[in-house]
């Protein structure tokens, strides 16, 4: 019949399929390329069809957190790690680095985690597992509470940036003026290497593991003294 549209792929549309496509767009083109329009085009549907599965762009971003957390939990579940009662520090280190390996495959994910304002149940479950590991390793709830604050986003595999350059190289006169005001920071930035950054301007593997080990060593000292 004239005017009747041929059946399209929207017949098999589901929230899971929408979110998987959103992850693919972010992986391939970056988070900025992820819009409701681009998502609809990738799926071969009208944008309005998406709203039966995700309310808006924020709901898509919330869903991305769910997808990434499911991958992290799968990676952690596949670890052959020591029992926390025997070596909690190694078990924790392996857990965190497994989470980080997942994030390296989705370098946009830390920014999404940082922008979520509500409590995500998958994230809460992950941190509950982190705390459970520490409890089995001999931590009190009080020390575990302090440990979670000390670890912060590192427990999920990334470091939150102190500074975030805009990507535009500053002219020499601007750098010179800045050096007069904050000489140590300018000297440090000039001296430090950021060529291996994986999840942010200053979040490269060696630096991440340095900070993680520093925290875990300190926590072990406190645990053993308790």
């Amino acid at each position: 019949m004239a005017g009747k549209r041929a059946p399209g792929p929207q017949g098999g549309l589901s929230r899971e399929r929408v979110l998987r496509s959103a992850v693919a767009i972010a992986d391939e083109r970056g988070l900025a390329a992820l819009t409701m329009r681009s998502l609809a085009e990738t799926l071969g549907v009208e944008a309005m069809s998406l709203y039966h599965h995700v309310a808006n762009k924020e709901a898509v971003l919330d869903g991305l957190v769910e997808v990434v957390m499911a991958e992290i939990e799968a990676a952690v579940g596949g670890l052959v790690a020591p029992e926390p009662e025997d070596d909690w520090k190694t078990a924790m280190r392996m857990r965190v680095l497994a989470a980080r390996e997942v994030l390296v495959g989705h370098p946009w994910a830390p920014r999404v985690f940082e922008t979520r304002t509500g409590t995500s149940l998958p994230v809460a479950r992950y941190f509950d597992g982190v705390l459970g590991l520490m409890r089995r390793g001999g931590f009190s709830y009080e020390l575990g509470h302090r440990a979670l604050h000390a670890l912060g986003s590192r427990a999920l595999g990334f470091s939150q940036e102190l500074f975030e350059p805009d990507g535009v190289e500053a002219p020499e006169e601007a750098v010179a003026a800045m050096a007069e005001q904050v000489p140590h920071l300018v000297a440090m930035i000039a001296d430090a290497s950021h060529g291996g950054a994986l999840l942010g301007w200053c979040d490269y593997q060696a630096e991440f593991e340095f900070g993680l080990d520093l925290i875990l060593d300190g926590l072990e000292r406190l645990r053993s003294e308790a």
Side-chain angles (χ1 to χ4, degrees):
M1 180 183 295
K4 184 176 180 179
R5 296 184 60 180
Q10 58 266 40
L13 203 60
S14 65
R15 183 172 183 272
E16 180 181 2
R17 186 176 167 217
V18 169
L19 295 180
R20 287 294 175 186
S21 293
V23 169
I25 292 171
D27 285 346
E28 295 168 10
R29 292 185 270 162
L31 198 60
L34 177 58
T35 64
M36 298 301 278
R37 181 185 296 274
S38 67
L39 188 52
E41 289 174 352
T42 297
L43 289 163
V45 301
E46 298 292 337
M48 289 303 296
S49 300
L50 298 178
Y51 295 103
H52 295 291
H53 307 281
V54 286
N56 48 38
K57 173 71 175 293
E58 288 301 303
V60 172
L61 296 179
D62 288 341
L64 293 186
V65 171
E66 294 177 23
V67 173
V68 172
M69 288 308 306
E71 292 183 15
I72 288 175
E73 291 289 4
V76 169
L79 290 173
V80 181
E83 295 296 327
E85 292 87 349
D86 299 327
D87 188 354
W88 78 269
K89 193 165 70 168
T90 297
M92 181 69 76
R93 193 177 196 276
M94 291 177 66
R95 181 188 185 95
V96 170
L97 294 182
R100 182 174 176 82
E101 188 172 350
V102 171
L103 295 189
V104 168
H106 306 299
W108 45 265
R111 179 174 294 276
V112 175
F113 279 113
E114 290 173 342
T115 60
R116 300 303 85 204
T117 56
T119 301
S120 165
L121 183 56
V123 173
R125 284 174 176 159
Y126 177 83
F127 276 99
D128 188 74
V130 170
L131 182 57
L133 187 156
M134 288 189 287
R135 285 287 291 164
R136 290 178 60 189
F139 283 65
S140 65
Y141 278 123
E142 180 180 4
L143 183 55
H145 177 211
R146 294 179 180 179
L148 289 181
H149 279 289
L151 285 165
S153 67
R154 276 192 177 86
L156 276 169
F158 70 96
S159 300
Q160 291 182 296
E161 300 283 6
L162 291 175
F163 308 103
E164 189 170 358
D166 56 14
V168 179
E169 188 173 349
E172 291 185 9
E173 58 270 20
V175 174
M178 182 71 75
E180 293 180 3
Q181 301 298 320
V182 285
H184 297 297
L185 286 176
V186 170
M188 178 195 71
I189 292 170
D191 183 67
S193 169
H194 296 96
L198 297 173
L199 295 175
W201 177 64
C202 201
D203 190 1
Y204 57 98
Q205 192 70 21
E207 182 172 279
F208 180 85
E209 293 188 27
F210 172 83
L212 177 62
D213 289 337
L214 202 64
I215 293 169
L216 295 182
D217 287 346
L219 292 174
E220 170 59 17
R221 178 181 60 81
L222 292 173
R223 185 199 67 84
S224 63
E225 292 175 354

